Amino acid sequence: MKPAAFDYLAPRTLDEAAAWLSERGDDAKVLAGGQSLVPMMAFRLATPSALIDLNRVGSLEHARVEDSSLVCGALARESTVAALPGLRERCAMIAEGIGLIGHTAIRNRGTVGGSLAHADPAAEWPALLLALDGEVDVAGPSGAARTIPAEDLFETYFTTSLAPDEILTEVRLPLPASSDGSAVGSAFVEFAQRHGDFAIAGAAAMLSLRTADATVSDARIALIGVRDTAVRARAAETLLSGGAASDGALDEAAQAVDGEIDPVSDVHASSGFRRHLAKVVTRRALALARDRAAAALEAGRRG
Amino acid sequence: MAEQRVELTVNGAPRAAEAEPRMTLADFLRERLGLTGTHLGCEHGVCGACTVLMDARSVRSCLLFAVQADGHEITTVEGLVSHGPDGAEVLDPLQAAFHEEHALQCGFCTPGFLLAARELLASDPDPTEASVRDGLSGNLCRCTGYQNIVDAVLLAASRRREP
């Protein structure tokens, strides 16, 4: 059906947006890419009395790969971020993760900030933020501002720790750096029934291997679709740290995610199938991350 | 909320009409501007039948409100055709290839595919079959089984590269 009527507000500045959001209260929704919100409005699952459109606030659209981090304004389009020169080389996990988001047209409008604020448990951006220990800046009324680290952002289904009058403004993800001491590889692997569908289960994985002996100096694993939010599989990470990234070690780590997930049964998959898939996608992502890190080690030795 | 004026460029020409904020760009193009080539399939962003180009990027026009498109440039399927010196219609190479390769049956999904393919070829003029399938994965077709659509896009790509 068609969306219900709403008041349309198109602020030109962040202050204007925050003021209107505060004024209109619980019944207002912020509009970023609209690729999640507008379908909900079309089904009338969401019927906000006011939409505050952030797309005219120019200060929110930046996206750049810096020395140590990926910095994105909340309204940075996913396709714009994916096309940043050098992103795939700096962090394959981010480039691959974005490529798994829906389809081209979705990524042309969908935004980094919108995905994080929407907090779909099957969305890729929350996993990337968690895996990389990223943080977001948030603006409130009257110039209030705070920074929220990834681990404090996602509370439950479609719920973040943002207050109703707060707007997510910037996202920063620390990028791994291959140094003289170690080489890094990462990957994002999903299982979905159709290309571009929401993940039934997905894993973002990153491994740092020491140049000296190829043991794991740092392991990051974040899973989607298998709990009420994206989740860091810290027990599995701990198992990997300090040891060789052998097939056996990766097998063990993949099995270990079992204790950190709580998958539901729904029309797409049973909880048992999701539980199985969680281990499969973790194992595949870890293998890709390991192989890419090993290749970087090899290239470093030759170079 | 009351209707407000929306001014935008569509297929190279300035257009304007009134719309409630809740009117989608798809409905605006069809009902206010009479451009019914843009089709409504699922109206929630899954099927791609409503795909148009906004500022040269493919978008789901069912997931945009017309008021958001104010000041932007839209290309619909109607904008693909050009006219020869004698005024006769000249099909875009993609359209010609779709015709030759039987890449449409009922034609309902076709406008969306044409615009998605136009963006695909603009960014990747020499795609592989795999990248064509990947690039068009956001468009659903219930008639053709997709093979002829893929063939048509590859054919159009090869012709555009010919001197």
Side-chain angles (χ1 to χ4, degrees):
Chain A
M1 63 191 108
K2 308 297 183 182
F6 53 86
D7 290 337
Y8 176 72
L9 302 161
R12 293 281 170 171
T13 68
L14 188 55
D15 285 342
E16 226 182 339
W20 270 332
L21 185 59
S22 175
E23 185 186 307
R24 294 303 298 248
D26 283 351
D27 241 21
K29 280 291 288 182
V30 160
L31 175 65
Q35 303 302 283
S36 293
L37 177 60
V38 182
M40 291 172 70
M41 292 176 68
F43 282 122
R44 298 207 180 182
L45 291 174
T47 52
S49 66
L51 270 195
I52 297 166
D53 183 354
L54 294 181
N55 289 280
R56 309 273 180 187
V57 179
S59 61
L60 298 175
E61 293 171 346
H62 53 280
R64 54 184 187 266
V65 175
E66 296 185 344
D67 272 349
S68 58
S69 56
L70 171 64
V71 179
C72 300
L75 267 286
R77 306 290 171 191
E78 287 155 350
S79 58
T80 301
V81 178
L84 287 173
L87 178 66
R88 184 171 292 270
E89 291 71 27
R90 286 298 304 276
C91 190
M93 181 170 77
I94 298 178
E96 281 182 336
I98 300 174
L100 290 165
I101 298 172
H103 308 285
T104 307
I106 303 287
R107 300 191 291 271
N108 283 341
R109 290 297 297 176
T111 66
V112 183
S115 175
L116 290 170
H118 185 61
D120 188 314
E124 290 79 359
W125 280 108
L128 291 171
L129 197 78
L130 283 170
L132 292 165
D133 284 330
E135 58 185 18
V136 303
D137 286 343
V138 164
S142 309
R146 62 189 180 114
T147 298
I148 306 176
E151 61 190 2
D152 295 337
L153 183 58
F154 307 107
E155 291 187 344
T156 187
Y157 298 100
F158 305 105
T159 309
T160 65
S161 55
L162 262 66
D165 59 359
E166 287 182 314
I167 298 173
L168 198 154
T169 57
E170 187 173 92
V171 181
R172 289 181 297 278
L173 295 102
L175 292 176
S178 284
S179 62
D180 282 342
S182 66
V184 182
S186 66
F188 206 125
V189 174
E190 270 183 26
F191 180 87
Q193 286 171 330
R194 281 166 301 267
H195 196 92
D197 274 8
F198 277 105
I200 294 178
M206 192 165 80
L207 290 174
S208 301
L209 302 180
R210 293 189 183 87
T211 312
D213 58 5
T215 56
V216 177
S217 60
D218 192 14
R220 310 280 181 95
I221 304 168
L223 298 171
I224 61 175
V226 290
R227 252 180 76 164
D228 62 341
T229 66
V231 61
R232 278 281 289 270
R234 295 189 189 271
E237 294 173 359
T238 304
L239 274 179
L240 286 168
S241 288
S246 63
D247 285 349
L250 300 193
D251 287 342
E252 208 186 345
Q255 293 303 311
V257 305
D258 194 76
E260 308 193 75
I261 62 179
D262 185 22
V264 296
S265 290
D266 63 14
V267 64
H268 302 293
S270 68
S271 64
F273 188 34
R274 282 198 161 90
R275 192 169 286 280
H276 168 74
L277 286 173
K279 298 167 198 166
V280 171
V281 294
T282 300
R283 182 62 176 82
R284 290 181 187 175
L286 282 172
L288 279 169
R290 187 263 317 268
D291 293 347
R292 288 169 180 168
L297 267 186
E298 225 1 82
R301 287 198 191 103
R302 283 198 307 270
Chain B
M1 198 179 196
E3 289 194 335
Q4 56 190 76
R5 187 170 174 78
V6 176
E7 295 178 0
L8 66 176
T9 304
V10 183
N11 300 327
R15 302 292 302 266
E18 304 279 311
E20 275 187 273
R22 70 187 183 119
M23 178 174 248
T24 65
L25 177 61
D27 285 333
F28 181 84
L29 291 167
R30 293 174 54 80
E31 297 181 25
R32 294 289 182 268
L33 301 186
L35 296 167
T36 53
T38 300
H39 296 155
L40 304 177
C42 70
E43 293 195 88
H44 63 277
V46 172
C47 76
C50 71
T51 304
V52 299
L53 301 182
M54 185 157 103
D55 304 329
R57 313 299 292 272
S58 66
V59 295
R60 305 322 208 183
S61 63
C62 73
L63 296 186
L64 272 163
F65 297 110
V67 293
Q68 291 186 271
D70 188 283
H72 290 271
E73 289 190 22
I74 308 295
T75 303
T76 69
V77 67
E78 290 91 344
L80 294 183
V81 78
S82 55
H83 291 88
D86 57 349
E89 278 190 345
V90 177
L91 292 181
D92 174 272
L94 267 169
Q95 291 175 306
F98 267 59
H99 169 68
E100 290 169 48
E101 294 296 313
H102 307 291
L104 67 156
Q105 293 181 26
C106 79
F108 195 81
C109 71
T110 308
F113 266 103
L114 288 170
L115 291 158
R118 186 181 181 87
E119 182 192 39
L120 173 68
L121 294 185
S123 64
D124 184 4
D126 187 13
T128 60
E129 174 172 341
S131 55
V132 170
R133 287 183 180 275
D134 180 74
L136 299 182
S137 62
N139 292 75
L140 301 180
C141 173
R142 302 301 289 127
C143 294
T144 66
Y146 302 102
Q147 186 60 55
N148 290 351
I149 293 173
V150 174
D151 291 345
V153 175
L154 289 170
L155 177 62
S158 70
R159 283 180 175 166
R160 280 163 53 138
R161 289 193 306 275
E162 279 167 17

